[in-house]
Each structure stands twice: as structure tokens, then as C-alpha cells.
Amino acid sequence: MDNPIYDFPIDKVLEALGSRMESKDMYFSPMRDERTASIHVDRVKNVWYDHGLAVGGTNVDLVMMARNCSKEDAKKFIRSLSPNLEASVQESRLEREKIGRTESKLEIREVKPVWSYYIRKYAESRKIPEDLLQRYCREVIVRNKERGQNFNYIGFENNNGGFAMKAPSGFKYTNKAGITTIDTSGERSVKPSSESVAVFEGFFDFLSWMVMQNTKTPTCDIVVLNSVTNLDRALDYLKAHKSVIAFTDRDDAGRLCMERMKSLLPGKEVKDMSELYKNHKDLNEMLVASRGYGCSMSHGK
């Protein structure tokens, strides 16, 4: 970003907020008391991710959450941490470039139709039918160069050409952040094709909704955030629709995302659909727990 404030080191911001470092990249959250550190810091990208809340972002986002303040007040707080902000930021940029050259451990080696038996069985355990899996997902092989090992993921492509990936072990990985927008023909498109748009945090929830709708193509436009931190990336697309139907998770991160969505879309009808799965964390958890939706090789419209 052009504003040097966003390049001020995340770890120094955490320290200023009273956070302690547990290990090289893990910090205790300044938002709550905890015994195990839950905040992961990516020093190369200068961003953070809170595994407890499933939310993350920039140093400014961190201060806003920790101090419950506005964006401008958060920037003032960061500016106050260094008498010479520009010099501190330049030093930080050089250090991050150095780290980046030595810590690029993961790389995508191959993208192909979902083939591996255990990947398909994992999708089946989440009650996602084979035909939906093959239509909207890919199998992505990622190599850990440091360990010399390959790992297979279910990958969901975003508008930037990157992939949101999940493994049966629960491990998540994204090689290039971005949202995914899908039109009513079932194709990725940035051009709206309906008056309403449905918003999902992750691709398993989107696919679960498709199962419940008993269709292969969406009945309205779709935005899959792939992370609640990508909400700002979706704003222009959301504003192009008359109404927004949101299926966010029933946790702190999901509720915060819903609140931000409503505040960032004034005058727009934003419907919170989470009451439909009030006894579950998200849409996919409800699908897995239900008896009315099965997983079959053929899934008609």
C-alpha cells in the first residue's frame, strides 16, 4: 500500500498493544486472555490471522479490533509508535524482502480435476456430491520445498487466479488472496447476472447451499469471500446488486463480518440468513448433521 502506516511492522504493533510472543510467528491475542497463542504473523506480507476468531488483516485492522476504535484513530496510534515513521517503514520493508527470499516454502506444482480417492471421500464426508465437486473444485498439488514433500488439497479458484485450499487434515492454505464471484450459469464472472447476490465465507458453505437448492447452477449471483478478511474486495460487486443474502458463520468473526457488511452497504437490503442454521456453526455443519440431504454421484437440477 502507498500509505507507509500499513507497512509499520505487525510485531511492533502487537507489542504496543501488550501482546506477548510465544514463538517466532505466534503471539497471544491482545483481544482476550488465552493460554495458547492464537495470532499468526506473516512478516513478509505484514499481516496477521487470529485462529481463535478466524479473522485477520492489516496492522490497522488489528488496532481497530483491539482498541475498538475507528480507522483514523488506529492510524494515529500506529503513527505514535515511531518518531520517524518513514525510516522505520523503510527498514521494515528491506527486512521483509530478505525474509521473503528465504521463506517461500510452498508452491503449486499441479492443478487437475479431483481424482485422489481420499480427497473425494473427504468431500463425501462433508456431503458434497461428486458432480458439484468436479464442476466447482480442483485438486491442487502443493510442494513444500523445505521438506521435499507434496500435499494434495481441494482447491477453489478465485478471481485472481489463486486457490483457497483445504485438506482432509483440516489444514488450509491460500496462495493468492481473492474472492470468487459466480453467475447464474455457474461460471466465474465479475459481471452481475441477477438482482440479488448470496454471500458465503467459504466454498464448502456455497456447495452446501447448492445441495440444499438441489441445483447444479446458482439461482442468483454468488460471492465466496474465501476469508472474511476479503470483504472489502467484494464491496463493488455487492453494490451492483439490489439485495444481499448473507450466510456468514455463527461465530465472532462471522458476526463481525455481517455487521461490517451492513455498515459498508448503507441503504442496501442485507439479509442475515444465519438463523436458518442457528444450532450449527455454519451451513455445511448443518448439512453434515442433517438426514434429508444425501451425497450421490448424480445430482440433478
Side-chain angles (χ1 to χ4, degrees):
M1 296 182 182
D2 293 335
N3 192 330
I5 288 176
Y6 287 95
D7 278 326
F8 190 79
I10 283 281
D11 51 355
K12 292 184 179 180
V13 173
L14 279 162
E15 291 169 6
L17 292 171
S19 178
R20 294 186 295 111
M21 181 173 68
E22 182 181 58
S23 61
K24 180 182 177 183
D25 298 320
M26 296 300 298
Y27 284 76
F28 290 93
S29 172
M31 275 81 81
R32 59 189 180 278
D33 293 329
E34 57 184 11
R35 294 182 179 180
T36 302
S38 62
I39 291 186
H40 177 264
V41 170
D42 185 328
R43 288 181 172 82
V44 176
K45 298 179 181 178
N46 205 42
V47 295
W48 58 280
Y49 186 82
D50 187 328
H51 290 276
L53 296 178
V55 66
T58 67
N59 51 10
V60 174
D61 296 323
L62 178 65
V63 175
M64 288 173 66
M65 285 193 66
R67 294 173 64 89
N68 192 26
C69 64
S70 68
K71 180 178 290 187
E72 288 307 310
D73 285 341
K75 290 179 179 179
K76 289 179 183 178
F77 175 82
I78 294 173
R79 194 176 290 112
S80 71
L81 300 181
S82 175
N84 191 339
L85 182 66
E86 284 72 18
S88 297
V89 164
Q90 182 60 26
E91 182 181 347
S92 172
R93 284 173 177 166
L94 293 173
E95 181 63 23
R96 283 158 49 200
E97 289 175 5
K98 180 180 178 182
I99 294 172
R101 289 192 293 269
T102 59
E103 289 195 355
S104 181
K105 301 175 183 177
L106 302 178
E107 65 176 5
I108 291 180
R109 299 298 296 270
E110 186 179 357
V111 177
K112 60 183 182 180
V114 181
W115 177 83
S116 298
Y117 176 76
Y118 77 99
I119 291 287
R120 296 169 68 197
K121 290 298 290 184
Y122 171 56
E124 184 178 344
S125 73
R126 304 287 292 263
K127 289 198 174 181
I128 304 303
E130 177 82 7
D131 55 354
L132 285 180
L133 178 69
Q134 296 293 349
R135 177 160 190 160
Y136 293 101
C137 299
R138 292 293 181 267
E139 184 167 339
V140 183
I141 300 176
V142 176
R143 184 166 183 81
N144 186 314
K145 292 184 289 185
E146 184 180 73
R147 298 168 61 180
Q149 292 178 305
N150 291 342
F151 299 90
N152 295 52
Y153 298 87
I154 294 178
F156 185 72
E157 191 169 0
N158 62 39
N159 292 359
N160 292 333
F163 284 88
M165 292 170 265
K166 290 186 179 179
S169 65
F171 184 78
K172 301 177 184 179
Y173 173 57
T174 300
N175 68 318
K176 188 187 298 183
I179 64 171
T180 304
T181 53
I182 299 173
D183 63 19
T184 53
S185 70
E187 300 297 327
R188 282 196 316 280
S189 173
V190 297
K191 184 178 180 180
S193 64
S194 64
E195 293 187 348
S196 61
V197 56
V199 182
F200 302 90
E201 285 190 33
F203 66 88
F204 270 116
D205 288 326
F206 158 59
L207 295 175
S208 298
W209 180 76
M210 295 283 284
V211 174
M212 295 173 183
Q213 294 286 309
N214 192 32
T215 182
K216 293 180 181 178
T217 56
T219 53
C220 66
D221 287 335
I222 301 295
V223 174
V224 181
L225 298 176
N226 296 312
S227 169
V228 291
T229 61
N230 288 330
L231 177 59
D232 289 348
R233 300 172 186 262
L235 287 181
D236 288 343
Y237 187 77
L238 295 176
K239 289 176 181 177
H241 294 80
K242 287 187 177 181
S243 61
V244 178
I245 308 165
F247 297 84
T248 55
D249 291 359
R250 293 184 63 86
D251 56 16
D252 290 340
R255 284 186 282 272
L256 179 62
C257 181
M258 178 64 68
E259 291 173 5
R260 288 196 66 232
M261 205 181 310
K262 290 180 178 179
S263 66
L264 293 170
L265 298 170
K268 189 78 64 178
E269 180 187 0
V270 180
K271 191 170 183 180
D272 182 356
M273 303 299 290
S274 62
E275 184 66 19
L276 290 176
Y277 42 96
K278 61 183 179 180
N279 296 322
H280 305 278
K281 178 189 175 184
D282 56 34
L283 209 56
N284 182 251
E285 186 176 282
M286 183 180 76
L287 176 64
V288 171
S290 70
R291 295 182 179 179
Y293 298 96
C295 182
S296 60
M297 297 299 287
S298 62
H299 182 68
K301 187 170 181 177

